[in-house]
Structures are given as structure tokens and as C-alpha cells.
Amino acid sequence: MVPRSPTRTASLRWQHELVTHTRPEDGMAARRLLELLSAGASSDELARVPADSATMQLAMHIRRTLDAHSRREAELTALFATASDLARLRDLDAVLRSIVRRARMLLGADVSYLTLNDHSDDGSTYMRVTDGSASALFQQLRLGVGEGLGGLVAQTARPYATRDYPNDERFDHTGPIDRAVNDEGLIAILGVPLSLGERVIGVLFASERRPRSFSPDEVALLSSFADHAAIAIDNARLIEESTAALAELGAANETIKAHHESLARAQDAHDRLTELVLGGADVPEVAAAVASMLGGGIVVCDADGAELGRSGAGRVRAPGRALSRALVASRSAGKAIAEGDVWVCAVMAGPQLLGSITLTGRPDLADADRRLFERAGVVTALLLLLRRSAAEAEDRVRGELVADLLTAPERDPATLLDRGRRLGVDLTEPHAVLTLHAEGVSRARLASVVARRAALAGVFAEQVVMLATTDRPGELACRTAAELTSSLGRPVTVGAAGPASGPAELARAHAESVRCVRALLALGRHGHGAAPEDLGFVGLVLGDRTDVEAFVRSTLGPVLDYDSARGTELLRTLRAYFAAGGNLTRAKDRLHVHVNTVAQRLERIGSLLGADWQQPDRALELQLALRLHTLSG
């Protein structure tokens, strides 16, 4: 059974009263009124029916009741439609705009707006969205707790309405709020809370620019709408947060994926480089592999800055102060350091610097590639350690051969020659023997540095000895001393002898080179290199293979050649001059010539021998050469 509506019940009750208490003519009027009401006639149409006042009042009451119910039904329909629309929205800004627009339509207001509570601040509420507003000052309004109508609604979670806000003393009027309200021209205001359970998230307003009394039904309508709106706002926020969380999760997943890929790439690169090293690859091959992986140029240097290998680097500037600082920083930090458009990574074995690896052509190096570059430094360290171990082993073998060669050259020369051939050194070929002395540098380090320049090198009798293929041992000694002094930062003195062939001659040449280096040290010529023939008469005294004729020629050659070509007596004059103790008068008596003639001859001798021929050291060499010339006939 369908329940009767209140309106139908009242109509039936009124018909019963009409039938039981009215006259026949009044009954006709009542019937006419019922027909009009049934047809939905307006109040004006009802007023034109002739009827008594009681009947007319009852008809008008029924008309107003029906209008109120129709209006309420329309409002509820609009409310449910609005709630349905809000439920379909996902974007928070779109939800907020829809709420204020619908609120304005529901109440037929001039302006509607919405404020949200700032829970992260001091609990104040700020203007978020407006509809129908024209004032920029009003659109930027912020209300403190309890301030104005909106602040009171937010504080108490109860709706408030005013017909005339500017003159309503119930509210806490503040300067900023009143100026904004006046700038917008608002008079009547209705505010209802946007609540989620016990928590107020904001306030929804409907306002007029003229006085208006908001009825309880309108307050209830806007309150119901605010309840739906609060849920829609919360849903939109949750959706936004979920979307943001999903986006963050996706970004995190991409980051993890990229990180995993970079780790896998780095691991593959590390395995590939390690296989190269363990497979016997040299430094240039490793440099080429790293350059291919990183798409740049690679240069590998040792601890002294000498280049060991490169690939794809083109022309790279010499390591200057900037790159040196970058290498120091990389060594301290344990990671690659950028210097301009160049990346530098120290190649370390524990605290020991083995060298450096430099990357060019990749100024913007991503983290994954930077880690790959640093892994290349680790693999390069492994390669250099293997090279060093192999070099040290070979140096030991070579050093043992040097020691055996110089200790007992006559014991088993054939075995010594065979050991030399296995090391790639033919000891039957002429070799110069150099003995090196350095203070402040360990013999092991000096031998290691010298090994790069020698056919054979080692430590013997607490000194470093090297064999080199050259027919000018003096020049090699001088050049070796200068280069090693510069690279090691300590004076390196080098004595040379030879060339010599075979174990026995090499041993004798070594003894001569030892006497030569001792002579250099005794003469205070630290950091110099020489062979006995470079030391003048001192070398003549020290040498085992004295060459008198060569010494005489190197000392008196220009004078001998001049006398031979012109038939002069410059050599006789030089003997007389020294025999007279440098006195011109006694010299001219010995020569039986005028003193001016002696002076002229001595001037010519000076032009041939050099201006320093009368200095004590040079004069001593000249006198020794004159004696040897006389003795040799």
C-alpha cells in the first residue's frame, strides 16, 4: 500500500470538512478550488474564484504548501545532481570550482566562495576559490581563527548567517576583512562548515550585495551541499595524493631500474676489463676498451706522469698544475675529480699512487659513467701491479746476472753469455758500463728507474750498475745524470767506462767506472756524469787503458797542428815559458829571441788553446801533456 503524502492527506481532510460543514453554493466554490489546485493553478487564479474567506484561506494554504514541497523537491534534485557531478570529478581545482559555482546556483546568490583551513600554519583560513567575485583584495583574503563570519564558522564548526554583515556586531570585525568585504560590496553572508567527521577543512559561503535573510531551509540546503562537497574535496585530495604516490613510485621504479642497469653495465665492464688484464693485455689495449665503453678519450700515466697508453684522446695538453691538483684531490677523496672538461682518477694500490687515468670528451659525466670510470681506475691499478710484479721479477733476474757477471766473470763465461741471451742481451756485443751514485734515493728505486734505460741493470757492491749499447759512454753518462737528477729531485752522479765486450772486459770496465764516479764525487761534481777521458789528466791516472797519445792530442792538438802547418815554434815557446815559471825575461833567454817575440807567441797560443790556458788546472794539464809528448819522442 502506497503511503499518502501530507499534501494529499490535508486535501482529503479539507474535502471532508467541505462536504460536512458547508452550504451547497459553498460546495460548488470548494469543488472549483479543488479542480484548480489539481491543475496546478497559481495563487492569482485561485483568488478569482468566489468563495468565503475560510475556504479561500485554506486553498491558499494548500497552494503554499504545495509550492514549498515542489521547491524543496527541486532543491533536493539539484543537490543530488550536484553531488553526482562532484563524485565524477577527480582534479581538486575542478572540484573546488564546481562547488562554488553550484552553491551560487542553488541559492541564487550574487557571490559564492570557499576558504580552506591552513593546518600547517596557525589554524587560519584563506580564500581558495570564488565565483562572481570582482575584487582582487577580496580574492586574496585570509582570516584568523575566530575572525569575521568565516573565521567563526571555521572555529565553531557551525553555520552562521547575517542579513547585514557590516553592521552585525556578533562577529569579530577586523580591518583587512572589512576592507575586503566592502571592496566586494557584500551585505548578506551565509557560511557553512566543510566538515569531515570532527575536523573542519574549510567554509563554504553564499552572499548577496543587498540585504537578504537566509531561511532555515536555505541554511540546511547549503549545509547539506557542504557535506557532499567536503567528501568530494577529500576524495579529490586522496586521488591526487594517490596519483602523486603512484608517480613517485613509478619514478622510484625507473630510478631503481636505471640503477640496476648501471650496476649491470658496470659489472659487465669490470668483468671485461678484468678478463683483458688477466689475459695479458697491455695498457693501450685497456685504454682502448675503457674509451670504447665511455665514449671519450683515455690517457693512462704512471706515478711520474710518463704516458703508458692512450686511446681516442687526440692531443691532450701536458699535465699542468690544474690536473696535478685534480690528481691530488682524487687521491685524497678516492674518486674521480673533474678539472674543467677533463676527468682525472688516481690509480691507487692502498695508499700507494701507481699512476693516473684521464678521460676527455665527456665534460658532463653521469653518476653511472663516473662509477664506471672509477672502476676502470681499479682495473688499471691491477694491470699496473701485475706489470710492476713482472718487472720486479725480471729486474731481480737481471740484477742477479749483473751481480754474477761482475763477481766472477772468469768462472763460467759461457753460462753468463747464455743467461744474457735468454734476457735479450748479447754480452759479446760492445756495451758501456755505468755506475750510479745518488744520495737520498734508495738503490732499489734507482735501479727500477734505470732499468727502463738500460740493456741490463742491477745492484752490485751497494751501487747501481747499468749496461748500455753506445760507443760514447761519456755522453751517455752526462745525459743520464742530468735526466735522473731532474726526475728524482736528487743529484745522481754517473761514472762510465767502455765500451767493452765479454764478461771479463765488462768487469774491468765496471771497476774503471767505479773509480770514475769516485773521482767525480771527490772533485765535488755531484749530479754530473763523465768517462775517464772526460776528466783530463785525472782520467789518465784512473784509467786502466791509458791512451797517452789521445791525451796529448786532446790537450795540445791545436798547437801541434799550427807548428806543423807553419813551421813555427809555439810548442817550444810553451815549454820554455813553463820552465821559466811564467817569467818572460827568462823565457826569452832560453829561446834566444826578443821578449816581444815571446809575448806575441804566447798571445797566439792563447788564441789556439783558449783564454783559460794559464789557469792552474789547465796549466797543470798542459805541462803534463808537454812532458808526455817529450817522453813519447
Side-chain angles (χ1 to χ4, degrees):
M1 182 175 183
V2 179
R4 296 176 178 176
S5 67
T7 304
R8 180 174 177 81
T9 302
S11 177
L12 292 174
R13 186 186 310 114
W14 181 60
Q15 293 180 44
H16 176 71
E17 291 178 356
L18 287 179
V19 172
T20 56
H21 296 91
T22 58
R23 294 173 299 173
E25 58 271 18
D26 293 334
M28 293 297 296
R31 181 179 294 275
R32 179 58 182 164
L33 290 173
L34 286 174
E35 291 174 351
L36 291 174
L37 286 171
S38 176
S42 65
S43 299
D44 291 339
E45 291 176 319
L46 294 176
R48 287 197 290 270
V49 176
D52 62 280
S53 59
T55 302
M56 184 57 67
Q57 288 178 2
L58 184 58
M60 288 297 182
H61 175 73
I62 294 174
R63 176 73 273 167
R64 287 193 297 271
T65 301
L66 291 174
D67 288 344
H69 280 283
S70 296
R71 185 172 63 253
R72 181 62 176 169
E73 184 177 356
E75 290 173 347
L76 290 175
T77 300
L79 176 63
F80 293 140
T82 300
S84 177
D85 291 343
L86 289 177
R88 287 194 294 269
L89 295 176
R90 294 293 181 267
D91 180 68
L92 179 59
D93 288 335
V95 168
L96 296 176
R97 288 193 298 269
S98 178
I99 288 171
V100 295
R101 184 172 63 253
R102 294 283 188 159
R104 184 183 177 195
M105 293 171 57
L106 283 175
L107 270 70
D110 293 334
V111 180
S112 62
Y113 50 99
L114 181 149
T115 62
L116 293 178
N117 289 359
D118 191 352
H119 295 288
S120 63
D121 190 14
D122 55 358
S124 60
T125 183
Y126 63 95
M127 191 71 70
R128 183 65 169 80
V129 184
T130 65
D131 189 70
S133 171
S135 168
L137 181 63
F138 182 76
Q139 294 166 13
Q140 299 172 3
L141 183 62
R142 177 178 284 271
L143 295 79
V145 178
E147 294 179 351
L149 186 147
L152 187 59
V153 173
Q155 183 182 34
T156 63
R158 294 171 56 190
Y160 281 89
T162 177
R163 176 182 174 82
D164 185 4
Y165 176 79
N167 298 310
D168 197 330
E169 299 298 331
R170 291 179 300 164
F171 307 109
D172 181 13
H173 291 267
T174 65
I177 296 175
D178 287 349
R179 283 192 296 272
V181 171
N182 291 336
D183 193 53
E184 188 63 61
L186 300 182
I187 302 297
I189 301 176
L190 168 61
V192 296
L194 292 165
S195 301
L196 290 172
E198 300 296 327
R199 182 167 60 94
V200 177
I201 64 172
V203 180
L204 179 61
F205 299 85
S207 58
E208 294 282 348
R209 294 190 173 92
R210 62 185 182 282
R212 172 180 172 179
S213 296
F214 292 97
S215 68
D217 288 343
E218 290 174 325
V219 174
L221 178 62
L222 191 60
S223 296
S224 298
F225 180 61
D227 292 338
H228 289 289
I231 295 173
I233 292 173
D234 191 49
N235 288 340
R237 279 180 173 171
L238 291 175
I239 291 172
E240 281 195 348
E241 291 173 358
S242 299
T243 303
L246 287 174
E248 291 178 1
L249 185 60
N253 185 53
E254 290 297 324
T255 301
I256 293 172
K257 181 180 178 182
H259 182 64
H260 177 73
E261 290 176 351
S262 68
L263 288 178
R265 178 171 171 244
Q267 185 62 48
D268 290 342
H270 187 272
D271 293 344
R272 177 183 170 191
L273 294 175
T274 304
E275 288 176 3
L276 278 175
V277 172
L278 298 180
D282 57 9
V283 176
E285 288 178 292
V286 172
V290 176
S292 174
M293 294 171 187
L294 293 175
I298 292 292
V299 178
V300 180
C301 297
D302 64 10
D304 297 323
E307 184 177 308
L308 301 177
R310 71 165 55 214
S311 178
R315 298 188 62 184
V316 181
R317 66 180 185 272
R321 289 184 178 180
L323 289 183
S324 297
R325 287 196 303 269
L327 179 58
V328 172
S330 174
R331 181 178 183 180
S332 175
K335 62 182 181 180
I337 299 295
E339 179 59 47
D341 57 352
V342 177
W343 285 85
V344 179
C345 184
V347 177
M348 305 291 296
Q352 185 180 9
L353 178 67
L354 300 180
S356 64
I357 180 169
T358 303
L359 172 64
T360 60
R362 290 291 307 275
D364 299 324
L365 198 62
D367 287 344
D369 285 345
R370 179 178 57 78
R371 288 191 294 271
L372 178 56
F373 179 51
E374 291 167 351
R375 280 185 176 238
V378 174
V379 174
T380 303
L382 174 62
L383 174 60
L384 296 184
L385 281 175
L386 291 175
R387 282 167 52 92
R388 172 179 290 186
S389 298
E392 288 175 351
E394 184 174 352
D395 288 346
R396 282 195 298 272
V397 174
R398 290 175 176 272
E400 291 171 357
L401 176 58
V402 169
D404 293 344
L405 178 66
L406 301 180
T407 301
E410 306 290 348
R411 180 180 302 167
D412 192 355
T415 300
L416 293 174
L417 294 176
D418 183 60
R419 288 170 62 186
R421 280 191 292 271
R422 287 201 299 268
L423 293 174
V425 181
D426 186 356
L427 297 178
T428 62
E429 294 292 328
H431 287 84
V433 181
L434 282 70
T435 299
L436 296 87
H437 173 84
E439 295 181 359
V441 180
S442 68
R443 289 185 294 274
R445 184 185 179 193
L446 183 59
S448 175
V449 174
V450 166
R452 304 172 190 168
R453 309 164 182 266
L456 202 62
V459 178
F460 177 72
E462 303 301 320
Q463 290 179 315
V464 176
V465 181
M466 62 177 281
L467 274 63
T469 304
T470 181
D471 57 355
R472 295 182 179 179
E475 292 182 7
L476 178 60
C478 184
R479 184 170 64 253
T480 301
E483 292 175 354
L484 293 180
T485 297
S486 175
S487 63
L488 296 176
R490 293 285 190 277
V492 179
T493 308
V494 183
S501 303
E505 288 191 18
L506 289 171
R508 285 191 289 272
H510 166 255
E512 191 172 351
S513 70
V514 170
R515 290 194 292 272
C516 185
V517 77
R518 288 175 180 170
L520 288 171
L521 295 173
L523 294 172
R525 296 176 62 181
H526 296 266
H528 291 77
E533 57 267 22
D534 300 322
L535 299 178
F537 73 93
V538 175
L540 186 68
V541 174
L542 297 175
D544 286 341
R545 296 170 294 175
T546 302
D547 190 346
V548 174
E549 182 180 355
F551 175 70
V552 172
R553 283 297 309 171
S554 65
T555 307
L556 297 174
V559 175
L560 294 173
D561 292 341
Y562 193 90
D563 281 349
S564 177
R566 292 172 175 77
T568 57
E569 294 187 336
L570 295 184
L571 189 66
R572 180 168 172 261
T573 301
L574 190 59
R575 283 198 189 98
Y577 175 74
F578 283 124
N583 187 291
L584 295 183
T585 301
R586 291 201 298 271
K588 65 98 174 171
D589 292 339
R590 285 175 176 270
L591 296 171
H592 305 290
V593 296
H594 193 274
V595 68
N596 290 340
T597 301
V598 176
Q600 290 171 0
R601 289 179 180 178
L602 294 176
E603 185 177 353
R604 173 62 61 186
I605 289 171
S607 67
L608 294 173
L609 298 180
D612 64 340
W613 71 274
Q614 297 183 71
Q615 295 297 321
D617 290 345
R618 186 74 185 282
L620 179 60
E621 286 191 0
L622 291 172
Q623 292 179 66
L624 180 59
L626 288 170
R627 293 289 183 91
L628 292 173
H629 183 265
T630 300
L631 292 173
S632 64

